[in-house]
Amino acid sequence: MKILIAEDEDVSRAMLQTALEEWGYTVTSTSDGDEAWDALQETDAPQLAILDWMMPGRNGPALCHELRKLERDEPLYLILLTARGEGGDIVRGLEAGADDYIVKPYDSAELQARIDVGRRIIRLQDELREQVKLQGIVEMAGAVCHEMNQPMQVISGLSELSLWDITEDNPLYPTIRKIKGQVDRMGEITRKLMNIVRYETKDYLEGKIVDIDKAVDQA
């Protein structure tokens, strides 16, 4: 998992980065709020950020506030790192958009525990987002299958009757057989669409499409 840290004090930033990397995280290190802002706009940006309260550029609460105004596809969990332990300051940080906070000097075990909470919440939000996508796909698939099923049955039935009425040496026989084969293939696709159980995509041209074979219930 990627974590962004924004801390202007060199030693503190280095110590924090070392600890996170020892815990298995990939760290994006920034030294002020503006640099952190830019890093969190990049493609595949970290979903968890630890932001110092006081730093050059945007301070921690200001950065939280601006990040919460963005429309993001992926969830973002924000932890404020602060020397301010007063209740009013903590409330102000949370109201600005922080999900959690930790007061300096922090205990390593406490920091790790709070990051673990963030990871669990991000995972749950990601799972919920995938479920919403899946629900939309299933509803769309149901509508498509409903509209396509009857005309495909008619074409398949007429093709079958036509094959019974002509011999294999008839010039039309290969064409009609091909029509029936393609219609039957479309029927197989609609059956797969009706059995989608997960959200799986694959690369297609410059974007992505649903990978039907991986998304269906193979059982």
Side-chain angles (χ1 to χ4, degrees):
M1 180 180 180
K2 296 180 180 179
I3 295 181
L4 178 138
I5 56 176
E7 163 68 78
D8 64 314
E9 208 283 314
D10 293 342
V11 175
S12 296
R13 185 173 65 253
M15 291 176 61
L16 180 57
Q17 180 172 349
T18 299
L20 293 173
E21 290 175 343
E22 288 179 352
W23 297 337
Y25 297 106
T26 300
V27 178
T28 298
S29 180
T30 61
S31 59
D32 61 60
D34 294 340
E35 189 179 349
W37 167 264
D38 291 338
L40 290 170
Q41 311 309 305
E42 295 178 0
T43 303
D44 198 27
Q47 289 182 262
L48 192 150
I50 301 174
L51 311 173
D52 192 24
W53 185 296
M54 296 297 297
M55 56 183 170
R58 297 170 174 86
N59 63 25
L63 186 54
C64 290
H65 181 70
E66 292 192 38
L67 287 168
R68 292 309 183 200
K69 293 191 294 185
L70 296 177
E71 293 185 2
R72 294 173 54 96
D73 292 332
E74 296 182 337
L76 179 63
Y77 194 89
L78 303 174
I79 300 176
L80 276 178
L81 188 60
T82 176
R84 299 165 177 260
E86 297 295 329
D89 289 331
I90 292 170
V91 170
R92 186 156 64 91
L94 296 174
E95 287 179 342
D99 296 288
D100 200 355
Y101 69 93
I102 188 164
V103 178
K104 298 179 183 179
Y106 56 83
D107 177 75
S108 180
E110 180 185 358
L111 176 62
Q112 189 171 17
R114 290 182 183 272
I115 291 174
D116 286 342
V117 170
R119 287 182 58 189
R120 291 197 298 272
I121 291 176
I122 289 171
R123 185 179 68 249
L124 290 172
Q125 290 176 327
D126 281 335
E127 290 174 355
L128 178 60
R129 186 164 55 97
E130 295 303 306
Q131 287 298 319
V132 171
K133 288 182 180 179
L134 177 60
Q135 182 63 30
I137 292 171
V138 170
E139 292 175 357
M140 178 192 67
V144 170
C145 293
H146 177 74
E147 294 296 327
M148 291 179 62
N149 189 51
Q150 186 172 354
M152 284 193 304
Q153 287 182 348
V154 171
I155 296 172
S156 179
L158 292 176
S159 300
E160 186 72 34
L161 290 174
S162 298
L163 290 174
W164 288 349
D165 290 340
I166 62 176
T167 59
E168 292 187 14
D169 59 354
N170 189 302
L172 293 176
Y173 188 90
T175 300
I176 296 173
R177 188 173 184 84
K178 186 174 183 179
I179 290 173
K180 182 161 191 322
Q182 293 302 309
V183 171
D184 290 345
R185 181 168 176 262
M186 292 173 64
E188 179 63 27
I189 292 172
T190 59
R191 282 190 288 275
K192 287 181 178 180
L193 287 172
M194 293 299 294
N195 288 297
I196 288 177
V197 295
R198 63 184 65 86
Y199 183 77
E200 295 281 353
T201 63
K202 61 182 178 181
D203 294 333
Y204 182 76
L205 299 179
E206 296 182 358
K208 290 185 178 293
I209 59 173
V210 174
D211 189 332
I212 296 175
D213 289 328
K214 291 184 178 180
V216 299
D217 183 357
Q218 298 294 343

